Amino acid sequence: MKINNNFLDLKDSYLFSTIAKKIKEFQAVNPGVKVYRLGIGDVTLPLAPAVIEAMHKAVDEMGVKETFQGYGPEQGHDFLRNAIVDYYATKDVKVSSDEVFISDGAKSDLGNILDILHPSNKVLIPDPVYPAYVDTNVMAGRKIDVAKGNQANGFKPMPDENYKADIIYICSPNNPTGSVYTREELKAWVDYANKQKALIIFDSAYEAFVGDDKLPTSILQIEGARTCAIEFCSFSKTAGFTGTRCGYTVVPKELVFDNTPLNKLWNRRQCTKFNGVPYIIQKGAEAVFSKEGQKQIRANIAYYKENARIIHEALEQKGIWHTGGINSPYIWLQCPKGMTSWEYFDHLLTKANVVGTPGAGFGEMGEGYFRLTAFGDRETTLEAVKRILENS
Amino acid sequence: MKINNNFLDLKDSYLFSTIAKKIKEFQAVNPGVKVYRLGIGDVTLPLAPAVIEAMHKAVDEMGVKETFQGYGPEQGHDFLRNAIVDYYATKDVKVSSDEVFISDGAKSDLGNILDILHPSNKVLIPDPVYPAYVDTNVMAGRKIDVAKGNQANGFKPMPDENYKADIIYICSPNNPTGSVYTREELKAWVDYANKQKALIIFDSAYEAFVGDDKLPTSILQIEGARTCAIEFCSFSKTAGFTGTRCGYTVVPKELVFDNTPLNKLWNRRQCTKFNGVPYIIQKGAEAVFSKEGQKQIRANIAYYKENARIIHEALEQKGIWHTGGINSPYIWLQCPKGMTSWEYFDHLLTKANVVGTPGAGFGEMGEGYFRLTAFGDRETTLEAVKRILENS
């Protein structure tokens, strides 16, 4: 028996374990010193009351023979698929319910989608970026090139007409940079992909943080996207579902490669290797779209966005170059005084007792940058920002 | 962009859609005639009260900041991994918690495990069998051979020393045949796999239906299994979790191929392409192992097993050759009077108004056989059995 030896090409990631180790060491030497964490990528507010209520009701249904739910459709229950269709309609996007696949989170589907694509495809991934895009393709042995983000392009790399790619990753609003592509910029990517017959893997996990009406919250708002893009979204950051696990993937029917609709292939993949999301969780996700649910989750997002605004404005006043923080929960800043990502990490930890995430952990182009997040509470955010400014 | 063209080699399965179509046509011509369904593979009893209570409590925790659960470990929460370790101890099997991976069901992990194995491996799959084993390997382009089940071996094919396989599938108690390997028979498979350096994919989804102490409920009860087998189990049939979605996969640390521990590869796969099972669901699964939970789920299993016994005894009395029905929820019978699987299906539907599953849907060796299940209610089972006997 042979293993998939592509796994041996994976680089071990020590980013978060190294951070944890450094904090532990600091606290051992400095007992009682409070550490302010703005490195966290997880939400901290509890689930909305409408979601809690819907899940209690669903749990009760599961305990009674007449309302008990056994195997559901692998693609998700119609009540949730239809709620998502309606949500897209509010964005002026028309999708049909059989283009919507309910998942246990964007991370799963972003990895599993590669099952239906040939290993020989060449992949273009922005740098810096969420590391799983790279790792999942390394596992399949695909050749990967990077589209470089930098200050000149505001960490929004644009297509290079002379470069040929088969699979293109875009995450907007971006993790870790918080930058958001405009409609015109996304249109350039869509045109480029259609011209080359490439596929765009569009990660819209942070779409709910976009407040500016002029900015796109879905690639399907861009003309031509239905022939080149799959969209992956999640309730994790929209509704605090990081430990509740639900997301959705939209595979337009016009997406045809090698004369084969990807919607059909993905449906076959899911029916064979997946058995749907728990009924209870899908009922909770449905409640996110109710009138009360929307009001409640929007209030939570507004809370995080106010944290982001506080960080953004402070950096602006201090004249520290950064992206994000307006239509995104992430703020991506240039380390002051030419420090490397890890030097700045050590500096902030020891001088300001603040923890963030070194940009170098998101790719080579992240060196010299640093990520802060808005998912903490207000008090921590205010104090951390004050301390950062005093030490930058 | 090229698709994974192995998907084009998949055979479309029309088994359950054809069954549904035939029932619909029958009912259109025979309005008002009641149809008795023993074809169903889904559970029908509601979740146990202990599970319901635990999930209500977990839902409440998710609604309060202090007890809210965000991202959990990809491998599952310790409370559930440890409960499974303790469950294995009751089977005299020692596993450590970092060998246990919590999944959203055996179906997902049975498919996803193939990510860590090379596409060039040759696969040996019993016939008849759960169709996903074949389809998931076709998707990866692997060469597949079958180990033939028949009356002579009681639908328990045994290893052929002259045949070389890399990956071997075993499902015991078996779906669809209900047959259960003895310890000696499993030992022969384990020895064969170790000798050839092959990997056994062991599906123990129906282990809770084994009542005979002498029969194994885990391949890890067999000496030598830790160097050749991964075990996949599920709460679906044990505790009615078909729509609740939770299972577990045990990857022993001694499982080393190409000098690489599979436990490490699988951990990396799961950390990259999976984000864990919902906290609420894991709390429900934990309650399955509580004293009350065990009492309640064992009562449900006993109910289904009594259905199985009723079917088994009736066939026995009538002298119809069959397997299963004692330590399994499935009964696999030879179609009477030389009928093919579909001829017998049509015969039972029209003459007895009973629905079962044609054996031919589970592989070539299933032709001429028929599957009945014990997951219906008592009344339906009794009436269906009476009607089958009158028409066989």
Side-chain angles (χ1 to χ4, degrees), chain A residues 119-140:
Chain A
S120 70
N121 290 304
K122 202 162 76 174
V123 183
L124 183 64
I125 298 182
D127 180 349
V129 87
Y130 175 56
Y133 302 159
V134 173
D135 290 350
T136 51
N137 279 293
V138 169
M139 287 174 178

Side-chain angles (χ1 to χ4, degrees), chain A residues 1-4 42 47 56 60 62 71 107 112 115-116 118 121 135 258 268-269 271 274, chain B residues 2-4 42 47 56 60 62 71 107 112 115-116 118 121 135 197 258 268-269 271 274:
Chain A
M1 214 288 299
K2 291 195 196 75
I3 65 161
N4 173 357
D42 198 355
L47 293 182
H56 273 309
D60 281 334
M62 295 299 282
Y71 288 122
K107 186 180 175 189
N112 293 335
D115 278 10
I116 68 169
H118 203 278
N121 290 304
D135 290 350
D258 295 337
R268 184 64 194 254
R269 192 272 170 205
C271 289
F274 185 59
Chain B
K2 291 194 197 76
I3 63 162
N4 173 356
D42 198 355
L47 294 182
H56 273 308
D60 281 335
M62 295 299 282
Y71 288 123
K107 186 180 174 188
N112 293 334
D115 278 9
I116 67 170
H118 203 278
N121 290 305
D135 289 350
K197 302 189 191 309
D258 296 337
R268 184 65 194 253
R269 192 273 170 206
C271 289
F274 185 59

Side-chain angles (χ1 to χ4, degrees), chain B residues 104-125:
Chain B
D104 61 325
K107 186 180 174 188
S108 301
D109 275 14
L110 280 163
N112 293 334
I113 195 74
L114 298 175
D115 278 9
I116 67 170
L117 311 178
H118 203 278
S120 70
N121 290 305
K122 203 162 77 175
V123 183
L124 182 64
I125 299 182

Side-chain angles (χ1 to χ4, degrees), chain B residues 271-283:
Chain B
C271 289
T272 309
K273 296 196 188 183
F274 185 59
N275 229 331
V277 170
Y279 174 75
I280 296 161
I281 304 300
Q282 292 193 60
K283 289 306 281 186

